[in-house]
């Protein structure tokens, strides 16, 4: 009986692991493929994926380059500045959105978690509704507002709507609500006013959550596609996330190299805040 | 330790990107064609035709006689410019040496007569007296330049005009906002030559935009250029 139980557990264990492995392979395969393909010469990329023709219903994947070539990277990094300029534009937009979003979320989260005011819960419910709404629903009204403000075709059209995040507000509210009242009361007894208590006490207490928010908001802004396509008509103003679509169509080899360049900042941020991401999400669930 | 290494890696990555951006910009700018510009001017161009004629003397006055087609007659009926190129001999008063000169003499007082036999207009005009003595008298053949001055609105130096299989064209300069700020680019504009005169051509395409005169590299329509 016992032996049967052990055997059953082992089978389940292997089944789960096999399933997880398959999912992991499916998730990682495009990334690994992109990295390998970025080291192929343009001729090799064109030969393998030039027409993207299907063979028996499948696109033949050619993983390892026949000969390692850095020509795509040379083009992206040295010969043509447009890719790097697009990278810096994206980075500028993302940093602005990230900083604004974290700042507003901290203020909003603190207000919703610590103050009692009329319609607080109703407003917070509205925030949650906004959070669950697909972005496409608010895209047209956002466009009208941005047009009315005369911000179309500017970086501000991406930054200003981007700095308010319902999810960020929700996350910070949940994290700040988990901080014991006694800590703030102690600060108050020491003579700290609301802002001092927020910046000197609450923010350090929520540092993991804030770092998690930095990571999530950066990733969200770094990979945004709909907003630049709708709000920005000049191709050269669009961030790398949209630019990648075009580069990939024009020159696939360059598209692969640009994609790797596109992955790296997010990867760095993830490695930096990996621990805080988990801690922050756990902290948001405490209360 | 691991975190420190990660920060160093991030710093190195961004430093590399900054250096690459600077280098890539320098390489990009160095590759751009450098162009010089000119602008189209409103100018009168001399349109002329060269015909053969005879010079003769009658009653102490020099005349020239030549023929014009009906088409040329319409254009050059009252020419602004009419010159007869003749050869004369000038004798030096002191040394008595003779030297041969080529003189360009003004024509005036034109009279026209339609010759039904040839279908051409016979023209007779008076010739301004030469400095020297005519080498070829009556019956001699001379070259005549008969022309008019015509105003044109778009006249450019002839080296601005380019040609290919699709015809004549010029490059005009445009401005566009781009990733690198405001850039200049060239745009091909097809045109027809209305008149040529010496170093200038009159174009059918009217523009007030700057016109590309010369380029350090071969250029095509849409190319980004640097203006010198």
């Amino acid at each position: 009986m016992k032996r049967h139980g052990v055997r059953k557990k082992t089978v389940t264990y292997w089944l789960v692991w096999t399933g997880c492995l398959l999912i992991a392979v499916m998730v990682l395969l495009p990334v690994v493929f992109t990295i390998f393909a970025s080291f192929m010469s343009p001729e090799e990329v064109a030969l393998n994926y030039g027409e993207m023709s299907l063979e028996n219903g499948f696109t033949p994947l050619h993983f390892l380059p026949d000969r390692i070539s850095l020509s795509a990277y040379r083009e992206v990094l040295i010969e043509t500045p447009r890719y790097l300029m697009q990278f810096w534009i994206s980075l500028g937009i993302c940093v602005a959105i990230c900083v604004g979003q974290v700042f507003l979320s901290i203020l909003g989260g603190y207000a919703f978690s610590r103050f009692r005011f009329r319609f607080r819960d109703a407003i917070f419910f509205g925030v949650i509704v906004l959070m669950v709404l697909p972005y496409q629903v608010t895209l047209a009204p956002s466009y009208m507002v941005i047009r009315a403000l005369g911000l179309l075709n500017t970086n501000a059209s991406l930054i200003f709507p981007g700095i308010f995040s319902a999810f960020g507000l929700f996350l910070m509210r949940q994290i700040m609500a988990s901080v014991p009242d006694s800590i703030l009361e102690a600060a108050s007894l020491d003579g700290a006013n609301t802002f001092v208590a927020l910046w000197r006490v609450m923010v350090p207490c929520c540092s993991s959550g804030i770092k998690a928010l930095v990571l999530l908001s950066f990733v969200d802004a770094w990979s945004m596609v709909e907003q630049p396509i709708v709000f920005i008509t000049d191709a050269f103003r669009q961030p790398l996330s949209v630019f990648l679509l075009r580069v990939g169509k024009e020159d696939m080899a360059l598209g692969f190299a640009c994609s790797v360049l596109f992955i790296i900042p997010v990867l760095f941020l993830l490695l930096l805040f990996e621990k805080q991401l988990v801690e922050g999400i756990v902290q948001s669930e405490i209360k | 330790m691991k975190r420190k290494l990660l920060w160093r890696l991030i710093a190195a990555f961004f430093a590399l990107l900054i250096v690459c951006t600077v280098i890539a910009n320098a390489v990009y700018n160095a590759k751009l064609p450098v162009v010089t510009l000119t602008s189209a001017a409103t100018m009168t161009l001399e349109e002329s035709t060269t015909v053969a004629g005879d010079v003769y003397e009658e009653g102490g006055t020099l005349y020239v006689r030549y023929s014009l087609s009906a088409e040329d007659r319409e254009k050059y009926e009252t020419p602004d410019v009419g010159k007869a190129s003749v050869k004369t001999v000038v004798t030096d008063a002191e040394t008595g040496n003779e030297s041969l000169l080529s003189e360009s003499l003004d024509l005036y007082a034109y009279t026209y007569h339609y010759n039904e036999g040839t279908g051409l207009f016979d023209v007779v005009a008076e010739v301004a007296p030469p400095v020297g003595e005519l080498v070829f008298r009556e019956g001699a053949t001379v070259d005549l330049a008969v022309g008019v001055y015509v105003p044109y609105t778009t006249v450019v130096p002839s080296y601005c005009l380019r040609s290919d299989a699709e015809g004549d064209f010029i490059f005009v300069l445009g401005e566009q906002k781009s990733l690198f700020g405001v850039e200049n680019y060239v745009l091909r504009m097809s045109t027809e030559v209305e008149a040529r005169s010496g170093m200038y051509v009159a174009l059918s395409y009217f523009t007030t935009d700057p016109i590309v005169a010369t380029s350090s590299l071969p250029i095509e329509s849409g190319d980004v250029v640097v203006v010198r």
Side-chain angles (χ1 to χ4, degrees):
Chain A
M1 189 70 183
K2 192 181 174 185
R3 184 182 286 175
H4 179 72
V6 170
R7 191 181 164 197
K8 195 177 175 184
K9 191 180 174 185
T10 311
V11 170
T12 312
Y13 174 84
W14 282 112
L15 275 176
V16 168
W17 268 101
T18 309
C20 288
L21 192 69
L22 277 173
I23 293 169
V25 167
M26 283 170 68
V27 170
L28 287 175
L29 202 63
V31 179
V32 175
F33 170 72
T34 302
I35 293 169
F36 280 136
S38 71
F39 289 101
M40 289 180 184
S41 64
E43 294 78 22
E44 195 179 341
V45 172
L47 189 71
N48 293 319
Y49 312 112
E51 293 175 0
M52 292 294 283
S53 56
L54 298 176
E55 280 183 10
N56 302 321
F58 293 97
T59 302
L61 285 180
H62 185 80
F63 256 92
L64 293 174
D66 294 337
R67 191 170 56 85
I68 291 175
S69 166
L70 294 175
S71 61
Y73 285 102
R74 193 181 62 210
E75 175 76 20
V76 168
L77 296 175
I78 303 290
E79 291 185 352
T80 315
R82 61 193 278 222
Y83 308 106
L84 284 174
M85 295 299 281
Q86 219 81 45
F87 175 88
W88 293 117
I89 286 175
S90 294
L91 196 70
I93 292 170
C94 285
V95 168
I97 290 177
C98 199
V99 169
Q101 203 176 101
V102 169
F103 182 72
L104 274 190
S105 298
I106 288 172
L107 293 180
Y110 189 67
F112 277 113
S113 64
R114 295 293 154 188
F115 297 128
R116 291 194 167 276
F117 50 90
R118 286 181 76 184
F119 308 120
R120 185 187 73 166
D121 293 339
I123 295 170
F124 191 66
F125 178 74
V127 169
I128 292 171
V129 169
L130 272 180
M131 191 173 73
V132 296
L133 272 181
Y135 184 76
Q136 289 76 7
V137 174
T138 54
L139 199 58
S142 298
Y143 177 84
M144 289 175 204
V145 171
I146 287 167
R147 190 177 60 179
L149 292 172
L151 295 177
L152 274 184
N153 213 20
T154 63
N155 289 344
S157 67
L158 302 178
I159 293 168
F160 284 123
I163 59 175
F164 171 74
S165 161
F167 173 73
L169 187 57
F170 174 78
L171 185 72
M172 290 317 297
R173 189 258 184 199
Q174 294 300 96
I175 290 169
M176 286 179 175
S178 72
V179 176
D181 291 339
S182 56
I183 295 176
L184 288 175
E185 282 164 9
S188 180
L189 285 174
D190 284 343
N193 61 24
T194 306
F195 282 100
V196 172
L198 172 62
W199 297 115
R200 293 279 174 85
V201 179
M202 190 58 104
V203 168
C205 285
C206 304
S207 65
S208 294
I210 292 168
K211 285 172 185 169
L213 181 61
V214 167
L215 175 62
L216 294 173
S217 65
F218 187 89
V219 171
D220 191 35
W222 189 246
S223 55
M224 67 178 163
V225 172
E226 293 102 334
Q227 299 96 315
I229 287 176
V230 174
F231 301 149
I232 295 185
T233 49
D234 287 345
F236 65 86
R237 288 181 199 275
Q238 289 176 335
L240 200 57
S241 50
V242 178
F243 188 66
L244 268 182
L245 293 172
R246 209 168 52 249
V247 176
K249 283 178 190 167
E250 287 171 5
D251 191 329
M252 286 187 78
L254 292 184
F256 287 130
C258 281
S259 298
V260 173
L261 191 69
F262 188 68
I263 293 169
I264 292 173
V266 179
L267 199 64
F268 278 145
L269 214 57
L270 180 68
L271 291 173
L272 269 180
F273 296 149
E274 183 187 9
K275 194 177 154 193
Q276 286 82 359
L277 177 67
V278 178
E279 281 177 7
I281 290 170
V282 169
Q283 201 179 355
S284 69
E285 291 170 350
I286 287 172
K287 195 169 183 179
Chain B
M1 184 65 186
K2 186 185 160 192
R3 209 167 174 77
K4 206 172 179 179
L5 185 70
L6 188 61
W7 274 115
R8 283 184 182 169
L9 206 62
I10 293 171
F13 172 73
F14 282 103
L16 176 73
L17 286 194
I18 290 169
V19 170
C20 284
T21 307
V22 172
I23 293 172
N25 268 309
V27 170
Y28 174 76
N29 286 325
K31 279 182 184 172
L32 291 180
V34 180
V35 297
T36 57
L37 302 176
T38 185
S39 54
T42 299
M43 201 183 280
T44 52
L45 292 186
E46 183 189 317
E47 285 187 31
S48 63
T49 185
T50 304
V51 292
D54 303 322
V55 176
Y56 61 95
E57 189 178 1
E58 197 175 281
T61 307
L62 277 177
Y63 293 93
V64 69
R65 183 169 49 215
Y66 57 95
S67 297
L68 284 177
S69 66
E71 189 184 335
D72 281 347
R73 192 254 178 179
E74 193 176 324
K75 200 168 188 178
Y76 304 114
E77 185 169 6
T78 51
D80 301 313
V81 182
K83 285 188 184 298
S85 179
V86 296
K87 286 192 168 54
T88 58
V89 174
V90 178
T91 308
D92 193 306
E94 291 181 6
T95 62
N97 292 335
E98 291 185 342
S99 56
L100 197 63
L101 280 183
S102 186
E103 290 191 50
S104 187
L105 306 174
D106 291 335
L107 307 183
Y108 52 92
Y110 302 88
T111 56
Y112 292 83
H113 172 70
Y114 182 65
N115 186 331
E116 287 183 357
T118 59
L120 298 173
F121 283 90
D122 292 331
V123 188
V124 175
E126 285 185 31
V127 183
V131 176
E133 188 182 350
L134 273 177
V135 175
F136 304 107
R137 291 284 180 175
E138 191 175 348
T141 303
V142 294
D143 289 327
L144 293 157
V146 183
V148 288
Y149 290 112
V150 183
Y152 290 99
T153 52
T154 314
V155 178
V156 295
S158 53
Y159 51 75
C160 295
L161 186 72
R162 295 147 202 267
S163 299
D164 62 10
E166 292 174 27
D168 293 328
F169 64 95
I170 54 169
F171 282 121
V172 295
L173 195 75
E175 275 188 357
Q176 63 185 7
K177 285 182 183 173
S178 79
L179 202 55
F180 312 101
V182 178
E183 281 184 335
N184 291 306
Y185 68 99
V186 292
L187 198 60
R188 177 195 169 117
M189 288 294 168
S190 294
T191 185
E192 284 176 11
V193 176
E194 292 192 330
R196 288 176 191 270
S197 177
M199 288 176 62
Y200 294 96
V201 286
L203 306 177
S204 60
Y205 173 75
F206 175 76
T207 181
T208 53
D209 291 332
I211 295 168
V212 174
T214 61
S215 172
S216 62
L217 295 168
I219 48 176
E220 288 179 13
S221 189
D223 282 355
V224 175
V225 295
V226 174
V227 178
R228 181 183 285 162

